Structure formats: structure tokens, C-alpha cells
Amino acid sequence: MNILEEIKDAACVGITGHVRPDGDCLGSTLGLYNYLKVNRPDLSVDLYLEQPGAEFSYLTGIDEILHTPKNVAYDVFIVLDCGSIDRIEPFTQCFEQAKKTICIDHHISSQNNDFADINLVKPEASSASEVLYTTFDEDKVNKAVAECIYTGIIHDTGVFKYSCTSAKTMEIAGKMMEKGIAYSDIIDNSFYKKTYVQNQILGRALLESVLFYDGKCIFSNVTRDEMAFYGVTGKELGGIIEQLRLTDGVEVAIFLYETGDHEHKVSMRSKKQIDVAKIAAEFGGGGHVRAAGFTGKGTVYSIVNKIGEMIERQYVDMSQ
Ligand SMILES: [Mn+2]
């Protein structure tokens, strides 16, 4: 796919990504937004997303993101980094009213149900940003676009370390570096940087973590009271699951934070064997084989017990 070809007859284009935008969601949507701004100056482009985190403020165009849907019938509406239409709320009406829709994504097929008119879905790609880049003309990518693509790639690969990272991923990242981006700053400031309270709550979550299933699994949780005490939101708890995953001997890490009465947002990571996307799907969530999540009803222990049973079932299936 060449994205400029796909939209060549369009006068107005809308773009969105998934709810609670992460680095890849922002990198891919803003990457496309900036690419179209530069290479189709005649085009009217709107980008819709929820309010992004402050750590991404260096991305060009981030202040132009719209948070409420316009009542416009777009010639083309493009959804990135999103496998299902129910994850673009509250911008569904823009999608439904559009004359043509395109989805550019990397979620596995059981989660991407080809909901658009044209679907470019590459489950083997590291990130939606990587898939998007393949639709660009290389010589039309400027530094601002390169910063977005690079950001998307480092976030969905955990800075080039998850198994979704391929030689192709590195090649694209290298090309982005050649555009003169401040790659060390991007990695430090958008990925690794933690505020003082984020480090405090990370320390607390690690201190209270529990190993189970012969040390193959670990979980920890943060309550609403604790979040209020430290003055943090769910968005700021991002690094905790990653540190849990790194625990020696652990195959699956689970992190939960309370979002309501008997309701938790649950993240899971696995190293090599367990398919956490499959587990998340059973709870109505989604994600990737090694990184997935869902919103779970019940107490921390009831949710973790259910996940534990599913992990055990996968081990049993593997041994047969
Ligand atoms: Mn992604």
C-alpha cells in the first residue's frame, strides 16, 4: 500500500488510534498526520485521540490532536494500531460517516476483524508505526515523521528487546536515525523516565509482589487508596509490569490496579512460552502473545486465580 495513492482523490482525511493512546498509537497516528501535512499541504487532516501523556510532548503536532468528534463525512478515515472498532470510542461516528475507511495495524488476526474497507494488518510487524512506514515513500519522510515512527517502534518493542523486534524493525529504526532525530533523548524521556512518585509506587509494588506457581508467575497490585495516596493515575503505573517480568525464573508477570468496586485493569507479560493474548481474550481483552491486558471483575485473588488456572492449562497442553 502507498498511503498517498490511497488518499489521492481525498480533500479531507480523519485519523484515529485506540483508546488510552500509548507510544505506538501516538507514533503511528502522528507519524501519518505529519507525513500528510508535509506531502499533501492542500489536504485537510484531523487527528482524534484521547489526551496523550506529557512524556510525548516532543512529538510534532501533539497539540493539534482533537478530543471531540466533528460531525464531518471524511473522504477517508484511517484507524491505526487498533484491531477492533469498539476501541476507537468516542470517534466511531467519524468512522461510520466516512466514504472510505482504512485500517493499518499489527494486532493478530483473531483480534483484528478487518473492520475497515481496506485493511493493512501485519501481525509479524513490531508496531503499527513499522507497518505505516512501509506505506511511505522513504524520501518524503522528514525528521518530524521520523521522530514519530521511532517513538512507536521503541515503545512496542520495549526499546528493541521484545521478540516482535526483527531485522526489518532495526533497519527502519536505523533509517529514522539517519533523519537526525535525538534517539537517546527520545528513549530516555518517553520510555524510561519516571517521576519521583512513580518510582515510589514502583518500589512499593515490587515489595508487595507475590511469586506463585513454583516461581514461574509473579503478580502485584495497586489499590485505589494507594493511587490516591501517591497522587498517580493508571497511566503512570506503566513500568511496573516490565520490572515484574524481569524477575529471574518468571515466565508470566501480572499487574493489576483497581479501577472501581471489584474492578481491575490487568496487564500481563510473558517471556517465552505462555500466550497471554489468549488469556486476555477469555476475559474480553486483547493484545499480543507476550503482552496483553483486560479489565477484570472480581477481587485481585479471584482474577489471579483464574489466570493461574489458564496458565496451568497452557502448560498441560504444551506437555502433551
Ligand atoms: Mn501497537
Side-chain angles (χ1 to χ4, degrees):
M1 180 194 287
N2 182 304
I3 196 67
L4 292 175
E5 276 297 308
E6 287 296 337
I7 60 142
K8 69 175 187 300
D9 301 322
C12 62
V13 167
I15 301 170
T16 197
H18 61 73
V19 288
R20 293 185 300 274
D22 58 10
D24 183 34
C25 181
L26 286 162
S28 58
T29 54
L30 277 165
L32 177 58
Y33 179 80
N34 289 318
Y35 183 79
L36 296 181
K37 285 257 164 186
V38 172
N39 297 298
R40 275 291 307 274
D42 60 306
L43 191 74
S44 146
V45 194
D46 290 329
L47 169 54
Y48 296 103
L49 286 173
E50 287 172 38
Q51 183 64 43
E55 69 271 31
F56 296 107
S57 59
Y58 63 92
L59 293 172
T60 303
I62 198 151
D63 297 332
E64 292 159 34
I65 295 174
L66 305 173
H67 308 303
T68 34
K70 286 185 192 170
N71 193 9
V72 172
Y74 289 101
D75 295 324
V76 184
F77 195 75
I78 306 167
V79 182
L80 293 117
D81 197 28
C82 181
S84 98
I85 190 73
D86 54 16
R87 295 195 72 218
I88 67 164
E89 279 295 344
F91 311 116
T92 320
Q93 69 176 81
C94 299
F95 179 90
E96 281 164 356
Q97 289 172 11
K99 292 170 196 150
K100 173 176 165 179
T101 56
I102 299 175
C103 171
I104 297 174
D105 186 34
H106 69 122
H107 289 84
I108 56 170
S109 55
S110 61
Q111 288 162 38
N112 191 308
N113 46 19
D114 286 352
F115 57 85
D117 300 329
I118 298 169
N119 299 279
L120 180 67
V121 182
K122 301 266 180 225
E124 72 283 3
S126 67
S127 50
S129 300
E130 180 179 327
V131 183
L132 173 68
Y133 181 76
T134 66
T135 74
F136 288 173
D137 297 324
E138 283 184 20
D139 56 334
K140 292 181 175 142
V141 172
N142 66 8
K143 187 179 164 189
V145 173
E147 285 168 344
C148 296
I149 299 295
Y150 191 83
T151 297
I153 289 176
I154 62 157
H155 278 261
D156 264 21
T157 61
V159 192
F160 308 116
K161 75 177 178 186
Y162 301 149
S163 58
C164 63
T165 313
S166 69
K168 173 95 180 146
T169 314
M170 303 303 284
E171 190 191 320
I172 295 171
K175 283 178 180 164
M176 299 305 95
M177 289 166 75
E178 284 173 351
K179 303 279 178 185
I181 62 171
Y183 47 88
S184 299
D185 289 347
I186 292 177
I187 292 172
D188 267 356
N189 296 335
S190 79
F191 194 87
Y192 287 113
K193 190 166 72 183
K194 295 268 175 281
T195 62
Y196 179 62
V197 285
Q198 275 181 308
N199 273 335
Q200 282 191 308
I201 204 161
L202 165 70
R204 181 160 179 165
L206 297 178
L207 196 65
E208 290 175 3
S209 65
V210 178
L211 277 172
F212 67 107
Y213 204 24
D214 297 333
K216 288 196 199 73
C217 302
I218 192 166
F219 84 90
S220 190
N221 73 291
V222 170
T223 64
R224 276 183 292 178
D225 285 348
E226 287 165 342
M227 287 164 73
F229 178 81
Y230 288 101
V232 296
T233 62
K235 249 193 233 166
E236 292 157 282
L237 303 176
I240 297 174
I241 185 74
E242 200 37 48
Q243 197 57 45
L244 291 170
R245 188 191 80 97
L246 289 169
T247 312
D248 188 21
V250 161
E251 166 62 19
V252 182
I254 305 158
F255 176 67
L256 312 88
Y257 68 85
E258 195 180 17
T259 50
D261 293 334
H262 289 281
E263 189 190 89
H264 293 85
K265 177 95 178 67
V266 185
S267 321
M268 296 177 291
R269 296 286 186 276
S270 67
K271 278 190 189 137
K272 286 195 158 64
Q273 299 173 312
I274 297 299
D275 180 348
V276 289
K278 204 167 151 187
I279 296 171
E282 291 201 43
F283 287 94
H288 305 277
V289 181
R290 302 279 170 256
F294 62 91
T295 300
K297 293 275 176 197
T299 64
V300 168
Y301 289 95
S302 70
I303 294 168
V304 171
N305 277 336
K306 268 188 233 162
I307 296 171
E309 284 165 21
M310 291 176 194
I311 292 169
E312 189 152 11
R313 226 180 298 147
Q314 286 195 29
Y315 272 121
V316 169
D317 288 346
M318 264 180 252
S319 66
Q320 278 168 355

